[in-house]
Amino acid sequence: TLSPLMFVFQAKTIGHYITNEIRFGGASYVATGRGLPTERRAFITKKSNGAFEGLYLDYANIAYYDGVMLLGGVIMVGLAGGTQLNDNAASLLRWTWLSVALTIVS
């Protein structure tokens, strides 16, 4: 199953929002007796000033950019020769490479 990918994606999403809560402070809940507000948002739209907004850009900020930066780092390590190990050390790193791959893909 693809549950490890979902777990990594969920952990990254939760970590992103917890980091924002610590960095910027969270809103406090005020009981009013009304339900939670919901809004419909487009997948991606262009605002009047030419900028884009939407659900996809929120998702890309959380998931894609970290994966692309990690992929770039892995490529630089590979080009620098940082993966040239003997067979014993390479077998010990297989779980590390699996974790890196799951993080990039998620």
Side-chain angles (χ1 to χ4, degrees), residues 15-95:
H16 172 79
Y17 285 108
I18 289 175
T19 302
N20 281 346
E21 287 291 319
I22 292 170
R23 185 180 301 156
F24 303 115
S28 60
Y29 177 73
V30 178
T32 60
R34 293 179 280 156
L36 293 174
T38 58
E39 63 179 90
R40 293 184 184 263
R41 292 181 58 199
F43 186 69
I44 191 163
T45 58
K46 188 172 184 180
K47 295 188 330 188
S48 60
N49 63 358
F52 291 94
E53 69 177 0
L55 294 174
Y56 173 75
L57 295 177
D58 295 343
Y59 169 75
N61 189 22
I62 296 170
Y64 285 151
Y65 300 149
D66 291 339
V68 170
M69 286 192 334
L70 183 59
L71 179 62
V74 168
I75 289 172
M76 286 196 295
V77 166
L79 291 175
T83 58
Q84 309 234 341
L85 303 169
N86 60 18
D87 291 339
N88 187 28
S91 67
L92 294 174
L93 284 177
R94 70 174 175 248
W95 297 112

